[in-house]
Amino acid sequence: MALTSGTRLGPYEIVGPLGAGGMGEVYLARDSRLGREVAIKALPDALATDPERLARFEREAKVLASLNHSGVGAIYGLEEAGGHRYLVLEYVQGETLADRLKRGAIPLDEALPLAKQIAEALETAHEKGIVHRDLKPANVMVTDEGRAKVLDFGLARSAESVSFDPDSPTLASPAHSPTIAGVIMGTAGYMSPEQARGKIVDKRSDIFSFGYVVFEMLTGNGPF
């Protein structure tokens, strides 16, 4: 669902693109009813009619709606326009943790509060029985006030439903590449060993990814 500046989706007017990945395209928009900026997440045209991707999209909306925490990007609604569905999300001003790490390791007194905030957001999800499955610096925003917000629950599942075919191939793309259809879902480098092997995962897989992220925050490099 490629959108251009000035396109209107109900009360939302597209301002411009914010980013794109395997789980969707994200745009900055203006909410004319409430006078605020929001983020609009839409599926790419090639995936907009894929039943599996649509189901995952709706699942992400329900997951976000169940998580009321300052460390998780909020959802305002699941809307439809022109035969396409899109999520209306909180617009978080700042930079991704991945962009912050391009400038090198984060000082300890700055890294520890961010790590604590990420852990608290994950704990909230885990208490709801939700596994993120794709925690990485690119999915964490550091706000202009210096607070961490965990984003992109596009791969999140309830813990009891997360299982894989043990014969599935392992994702072999670089650590920052998007998810690829037909292989194990996640991002190589940040996945726990059990997730990479196609085993059943639970919150411990997120904890592994969290440890990797914290290591990278403190050293500027991954542990492996």
Side-chain angles (χ1 to χ4, degrees):
M1 189 178 179
L3 301 173
T4 57
S5 178
T7 300
R8 294 196 67 90
L9 301 170
Y12 307 106
E13 181 178 351
I14 301 300
V15 176
L18 289 173
M23 295 295 101
E25 300 166 344
V26 184
Y27 301 84
L28 175 63
R30 181 76 177 167
D31 182 344
S32 61
R33 282 187 301 202
L34 298 179
R36 63 180 174 182
E37 292 180 319
V38 298
I40 299 288
K41 183 174 182 179
L43 287 172
D45 286 337
L47 303 174
T49 58
D50 183 322
E52 181 181 344
R53 289 302 180 104
L54 285 171
R56 191 180 300 151
F57 206 59
E58 292 185 4
R59 185 165 60 243
E60 179 180 3
K62 291 177 181 178
V63 165
L64 289 173
S66 73
L67 298 177
N68 182 20
H69 191 273
S70 61
V72 177
I75 184 169
Y76 300 141
L78 172 62
E79 306 290 345
E80 185 170 343
H84 293 273
R85 293 175 189 163
Y86 57 93
L87 305 184
V88 183
L89 306 170
E90 175 186 5
Y91 171 53
V92 182
Q93 290 185 292
E95 63 179 347
T96 67
L97 184 56
D99 287 336
R100 170 60 186 84
L101 285 169
K102 290 176 182 177
R103 302 196 295 274
I106 301 175
L108 187 64
D109 61 349
E110 181 184 347
L112 288 182
L114 291 174
K116 181 175 183 290
Q117 291 154 18
I118 296 168
E120 289 171 345
L122 284 178
E123 181 180 40
T124 295
H126 294 163
E127 287 175 348
K128 297 280 189 179
I130 295 165
V131 184
H132 188 286
R133 295 204 298 165
D134 198 23
L135 183 68
K136 57 186 177 182
N139 284 342
V140 176
M141 284 292 293
V142 180
T143 71
D144 291 339
E145 293 76 33
R147 295 192 61 82
K149 278 186 178 281
V150 179
L151 307 179
D152 202 343
F153 279 75
L155 292 184
R157 298 293 295 271
S158 59
E160 63 269 18
S161 68
V162 178
S163 61
F164 301 100
D165 178 352
D167 296 320
S168 295
T170 301
L171 180 64
S173 60
H176 295 284
S177 293
T179 306
I180 299 173
V183 297
I184 290 171
M185 308 303 281
T187 302
Y190 296 96
M191 288 191 290
S192 65
E194 64 270 24
Q195 187 174 354
R197 292 176 183 140
K199 306 298 183 182
I200 294 174
V201 300
D202 57 26
K203 66 181 182 180
R204 291 172 293 184
S205 186
D206 280 349
I207 293 170
F208 176 95
S209 301
F210 170 73
Y212 190 113
V213 169
V214 172
F215 188 100
E216 190 171 355
M217 289 168 62
L218 295 174
T219 66
N221 299 289
F224 309 117

